[in-house]
Amino acid sequence: MQLLADPNRSARPVENPYTSLLVSSLPDERIETRYFGWADVLTSDADVVHMHWPENSLRHPRTAVRLLKRALFLLFILRLRMGRIAVVRTVHNARPHEEGDRGERWILGLLEARTTLWVTLNDVTPTPDPRRTVVIPHGHYRDRFASPTPEPRRGNLVHFGMLKPYKGVDELISAFAAVPHELDYRLHIVGESHDGPLTERVRAASRRDERMDIDLRFVDETELADAVGAAEIVVLPYRAIENSGSALLALSLHRPVILPESPSTRLLEEEFGDEWVGLYRGPLTAETLQRAVEDLRDRPRDAAGPDMSERDWPRLGSLLADAYDRAAASLRRRA
C-alpha cells in the first residue's frame, strides 16, 4: 500500500516530532510512505492520504500565496475523488485553535466530505461519523529524548511550547505573580512567540518579577529536554485542551504536569495516575496553582516514570496500518 503523508513540516530541523515518529513506526513491509508536496496535487497515485492539520496547508500571511494554496488544494481534493484515493484524517482538536475564514472552512468541509476514516487520539474527541472512527493514542517521546536530563529543581515550574493565547500563559503569569515570595517558586517559560501583544505581556511580567525567567525563542530538542528536565513540575494551563503532546513529552521525561480538568485530561489522570497528572478546576489562580503544586509534591512516584507501554510506537504503527487497510477497503466497497 502506498501512503501519502501530510505532516505539515516546517523548514526547521525539529518542531513537532510527532508526525515523523508516527510515520517511522509504520511497518515497512506493509506501507510505502512519502510526504505530501504540491507536485502531488495532480500526480499522486497513493492508495491512502493521511492528513493531520489541513488548515495549515491553506494559510499564508500574503493574500496571493494564500489564494494559490487554496486553489491547489481544491485541485488536490478533485484528484482524491477522481483517483479514488482514501483519505484518513487525524483529529487533534474538534476545531482549530485559530479559526479560519469562510473560504478556509468551505474547503475543509469539502475535504471532510471526502474523508474515508477518522482517527482520534482519545475517546472524547468528536468526529463527524463515530462509525468511521478509530482511536490511536499519541505515542510517547521516551526514545526521542533518551539522553540524560538535569535533576529537577524544587520549586521550578516550567511552561514550554510555542506561546499562543489558547495555552493560557496570561493566566499563568498572573497566577504566579500572586504566589507569595516566601514559597520560593520560580517560573521558567520557554518557547517562541509570533504574537506581538502576548510577547510583550510576558516580557513585561518578567521585568516586574525576578522569579520569572523567559526564553522566547525556538529551542532544539537538547535544550528543550534540559529545560523540562530541570522542572519540578510542568504547568500547562490550556484554555481548551483535547490532546497535548507537551504533556506527554513532560511525562516521557518523568516530570509531573498540572493541567485544567477536562474530559481528556481526566483520561490522562486515569491512565498515568494522580501522582503524575494534577488537575485543577476553574480559573488558574495563585491559590489553585499553589494547591496543585503542593498536592503533586507530596505524592510518591516511581523513579522509572509513568507506565507508557500503551503508547509504544510499534504498537501504534501497527494500529495505524490496520486503519489504512480499513480505509482503502471501505473506499473500494463504496466504489
Side-chain angles (χ1 to χ4, degrees):
M1 174 180 292
Q2 293 187 4
L3 166 70
L4 187 62
D6 169 39
N8 281 293
R9 296 181 300 174
S10 74
R12 290 172 171 161
V14 176
E15 186 159 304
N16 182 351
Y18 165 74
T19 47
S20 61
L21 288 169
L22 187 63
V23 168
S24 63
S25 74
L26 292 167
D28 293 337
E29 69 276 8
R30 294 174 58 185
I31 308 292
E32 176 189 341
T33 308
R34 71 176 185 272
Y35 286 115
F36 173 86
W38 288 115
D40 294 292
V41 167
L42 297 177
T43 62
S44 175
D45 57 354
D47 301 296
V48 176
V49 170
H50 187 176
M51 308 203 79
H52 288 272
W53 297 276
E55 63 274 9
N56 291 345
S57 296
L58 302 172
R59 295 176 177 176
H60 196 277
R62 293 172 55 189
T63 302
V65 177
R66 184 168 64 250
L67 292 176
L68 176 60
K69 292 178 73 172
R70 293 181 179 187
L72 290 172
F73 203 88
L74 287 171
L75 287 175
F76 186 53
I77 293 175
L78 180 62
R79 173 62 183 161
L80 297 175
R81 178 178 180 181
M82 300 301 293
R84 295 180 179 176
I85 299 171
V87 178
V88 174
R89 283 275 310 277
T90 292
V91 183
H92 293 266
N93 304 285
R95 294 187 302 177
H97 291 301
E98 292 89 14
E99 288 289 341
D101 58 25
R102 183 180 303 176
E104 177 183 303
R105 293 194 298 270
W106 176 68
I107 295 174
L108 291 177
L110 295 177
L111 179 65
E112 180 178 304
R114 291 297 311 161
T115 298
T116 317
L117 186 71
W118 306 87
V119 176
T120 60
L121 307 183
N122 57 44
D123 291 318
V124 298
T125 302
T127 68
D129 188 350
R131 297 168 300 175
R132 293 186 288 124
T133 300
V134 296
V135 177
I136 302 177
H138 192 306
H140 61 67
Y141 292 107
R142 279 184 169 165
D143 300 328
R144 185 74 174 229
F145 294 86
S147 59
T149 56
E151 288 295 313
R153 296 199 295 267
R154 184 177 176 85
N156 186 34
L157 310 181
V158 173
H159 177 88
F160 68 93
M162 182 170 284
L163 268 64
K164 295 185 178 181
Y166 79 86
K167 294 185 177 181
V169 68
D170 279 319
E171 289 85 348
L172 176 57
I173 59 180
S174 295
F176 181 81
V179 170
H181 283 238
E182 58 265 24
L183 291 178
D184 200 24
Y185 286 3
R186 294 197 62 83
L187 177 61
H188 184 196
I189 297 176
V190 55
E192 191 174 23
S193 173
H194 297 297
D195 186 311
L198 177 60
T199 300
E200 183 49 42
R201 289 195 297 273
V202 173
R203 285 178 173 158
S206 69
R207 289 192 291 267
R208 293 192 299 268
D209 194 332
E210 72 281 358
R211 301 172 300 166
M212 189 182 300
D213 176 30
I214 65 169
D215 187 357
L216 300 185
R217 63 188 177 91
F218 175 80
V219 298
D220 62 24
E221 290 184 355
T222 300
E223 291 178 286
L224 180 59
D226 286 344
V228 176
E232 180 185 13
I233 296 171
V234 170
V235 186
L236 303 172
Y238 293 2
R239 295 172 185 167
I241 179 170
E242 290 175 38
N243 300 283
S244 173
S246 295
L248 290 171
L249 193 155
L251 294 169
S252 297
L253 291 173
H254 304 177
R255 297 297 178 264
V257 294
I258 292 173
L259 296 160
E261 185 178 40
S262 72
S264 62
T265 58
R266 285 195 295 269
L267 291 178
L268 289 178
E269 184 189 46
E270 291 172 11
E271 180 178 358
F272 299 116
D274 57 8
E275 71 272 28
W276 290 104
V277 179
L279 304 182
Y280 65 89
R281 294 183 178 180
L284 182 66
T285 64
E287 292 74 20
T288 57
L289 178 60
Q290 180 182 345
R291 187 163 52 246
V293 169
E294 297 299 328
D295 187 49
L296 274 176
R297 178 177 283 171
D298 292 340
R299 295 184 183 274
R301 282 180 286 275
D302 190 334
D307 180 6
M308 308 188 85
S309 56
E310 292 298 306
R311 296 173 181 267
D312 283 340
W313 287 104
R315 173 179 177 270
L316 305 182
S318 179
L319 291 175
L320 187 56
D322 292 341
Y324 294 153
D325 287 337
R326 174 180 167 182
S330 173
L331 191 63
R332 286 194 298 268
R333 286 195 300 270
R334 286 161 59 187

